Amino acid sequence: AEERPAPITVFVAKKIVTMDPGWPTATAVAVRDGRILSVGRTLADLAPWLERNPHTIDKRFEGKVLLPGFIEAHGHPLIGGFLMTRRLTAFKDIQNPYGTRA
């Protein structure tokens, strides 16, 4: 049996920041299985995808601005979590999250 692709969800927003200098903003983004397929300045720009695939239009962000997710990869959560349990050596007294002076 032929495997059919998952349906497409199109999110419509007031503005979508794409981070692409050649196409910096959009108002619609087509997503399948958690991956972006295409963006459009208007919903009509996505017609080639939508004419051939089952889809839904999700307007929950219609009045919102969407930004790409950012991953802050330099937080070192394990090191930070470990060090917060230790006495801090610093020039000045510093309040730690537990309320005692370090």
Side-chain angles (χ1 to χ4, degrees):
E2 187 179 321
E3 191 174 317
R4 296 189 56 89
I8 294 171
T9 301
V10 177
F11 295 97
V12 176
K14 178 179 177 179
K15 179 179 179 181
I16 300 169
V17 178
T18 69
M19 304 299 285
D20 179 349
W23 194 306
T25 62
T27 63
V29 59
V31 178
R32 176 187 283 151
D33 290 330
R35 293 186 174 260
I36 295 173
L37 298 174
S38 186
V39 295
R41 288 191 176 101
T42 68
L43 188 57
D45 291 335
L46 302 178
W49 285 97
L50 305 182
E51 290 167 355
R52 298 187 315 259
N53 295 280
H55 62 276
T56 57
I57 308 294
D58 188 327
K59 294 185 176 185
R60 76 178 98 174
F61 304 116
E62 198 169 33
K64 309 284 184 192
V65 175
L66 298 181
L67 297 167
F70 293 102
I71 298 172
E72 194 282 296
H74 200 83
H76 302 292
L78 291 176
I79 294 171
F82 173 76
L83 292 177
M84 294 307 290
T85 64
R86 303 292 182 245
R87 182 169 176 79
L88 179 64
T89 303
F91 177 73
K92 294 182 178 183
D93 283 343
I94 296 174
Q95 186 77 26
N96 78 23
Y98 307 108
T100 59
R101 302 300 278 178

